[in-house]
Amino acid sequence: MSRVVVAVDGSEAARLALEWAADEAERRGAPLKVVHADRWEPYAFGDDIDVVTGAGEAARELVAEEARRALARCPQLEVSTEAMGEETVTALLREGAAADLLVLGSRGRGGFEGMLLGSVSLRVVGRADFPVVVVRGDGIAPPRGRVVLGVGAHYPPGRAADFALDQAIRRKAVLDVVYAWQPDLDLSGLSVVMDSGTAQERAQVLLAAVTAPLEQDATGIRVRPCPVPGAPAPALLHAAADADLVVLGSRRRHGQLGPVTHAMLHHSPCPVAIVPVT
């Protein structure tokens, strides 16, 4: 069965992720699974079995509490829980692979040290071959009616475009397809010559190729090509200022994410979906 999985650790960031995930599961008509993963095996605490048992009980209480929170927000939601005494990244990758979507907070703090810290979220995103949403911002904002898809020149958006279109349709939102372009530089003469016209034309051609199939599949929503002069990260951060979600395609390179993805995961004012394209 398809489902949305959200990881929790008792931090405020994880609770925002839980709220976002509950809303998303409700939009999809899918069940929500609330999970916590952290090592509490004997070797992590020495031979103190009481400590191990207490850690497991605390984890189960945590996911039960967060499940109640999700049901208070979305009463008709089907919610399940699981507390896992194992390495966090490994557990989250397994859970995400069995779901439609994995939702994470942008950072972790509080009673479960190490869960959902930035490094953990980055490692999960870098290794995932399924969509991951990292919930950023200070709270779940009211719907703004915009989903942003960031595209680059070097590879087609593929699954990321499909994910963004699906999100826009479910939200009845506009889908803005953003491509940042910069003028060509001619260094052959005695001075540097910038050619904005040619670069802008290429941007328009690229956006037309991306938006045309999306427009064909769009149901009752607008798909807008948005060529933006400038560097990609600033352009996307600006576009994210009044968006419900930013969607980026990611080509995995040994678990390393590109600079634009890093910038959005660290600084975006709204949630960011990372969708592997290869």
Side-chain angles (χ1 to χ4, degrees):
M1 177 184 293
S2 64
R3 65 186 176 211
V4 175
V5 173
V6 60
V8 299
D9 69 346
S11 69
E12 183 59 30
R15 285 175 180 161
L16 291 177
L18 175 84
E19 292 177 4
W20 194 95
D23 292 345
E24 177 66 13
E26 187 173 59
R27 275 190 293 268
R28 293 170 177 255
L32 175 68
K33 185 175 183 180
V34 182
V35 303
H36 172 77
D38 198 6
R39 287 180 170 172
W40 62 73
E41 300 94 330
Y43 67 78
F45 296 99
D47 296 325
D48 193 337
I49 301 302
D50 290 338
V51 173
V52 175
T53 302
E57 290 176 352
R60 287 186 286 274
E61 290 173 2
L62 170 66
V63 293
E65 177 184 352
E66 298 300 336
R68 290 190 290 271
R69 192 185 303 273
L71 285 170
R73 185 176 182 89
C74 302
Q76 303 304 314
L77 202 58
E78 179 185 338
V79 182
S80 62
T81 64
E82 186 171 359
M84 296 164 283
E86 58 185 292
E87 198 276 326
T88 304
V89 172
T90 300
L92 294 184
L93 287 169
R94 184 184 65 248
E95 290 296 316
D100 291 335
L101 182 65
L102 175 65
V103 183
L104 305 175
S106 59
R107 59 193 180 277
R109 62 177 181 266
F112 290 84
E113 186 68 23
M115 172 62 174
L116 293 185
L117 294 172
S119 62
V120 172
S121 294
L122 288 174
R123 281 187 287 153
V124 171
V125 172
R127 293 170 56 186
D129 57 4
F130 48 82
V132 180
V133 169
V134 177
V135 178
R136 291 196 47 82
D138 297 326
I140 305 301
R144 295 160 172 170
R146 286 183 65 240
V147 173
V148 172
L149 170 65
V151 298
H154 302 298
Y155 56 89
R159 294 169 61 191
D162 295 339
F163 185 94
L165 179 62
D166 179 71
Q167 283 288 316
I169 291 172
R170 291 182 189 278
R171 297 167 181 271
K172 298 180 173 58
V174 171
L175 175 57
D176 283 342
V177 183
V178 175
Y179 173 68
W181 61 273
Q182 300 182 66
D184 295 330
L185 299 180
D186 183 355
L187 305 176
S188 61
L190 297 177
S191 61
V192 176
V193 178
M194 292 192 299
D195 182 0
S196 297
T198 302
Q200 188 171 14
E201 288 174 5
R202 283 202 307 271
Q204 291 169 342
V205 170
L206 182 146
L207 283 171
V210 173
T211 58
L214 295 175
E215 289 170 341
Q216 291 178 353
D217 294 334
T219 304
I221 66 163
R222 294 176 61 195
V223 179
R224 301 189 300 202
C226 301
V228 180
L236 284 170
L237 286 170
H238 179 75
D242 59 350
D244 296 309
L245 180 69
V246 171
V247 182
L248 300 176
S250 177
R251 178 177 291 174
R252 293 185 296 162
R253 296 185 180 94
H254 309 294
Q256 300 299 311
L257 301 171
V260 175
T261 301
H262 265 283
M264 295 305 294
L265 290 174
H266 282 98
H267 304 295
S268 174
C270 73
V272 179
I274 307 299
V275 183
V277 295
T278 56

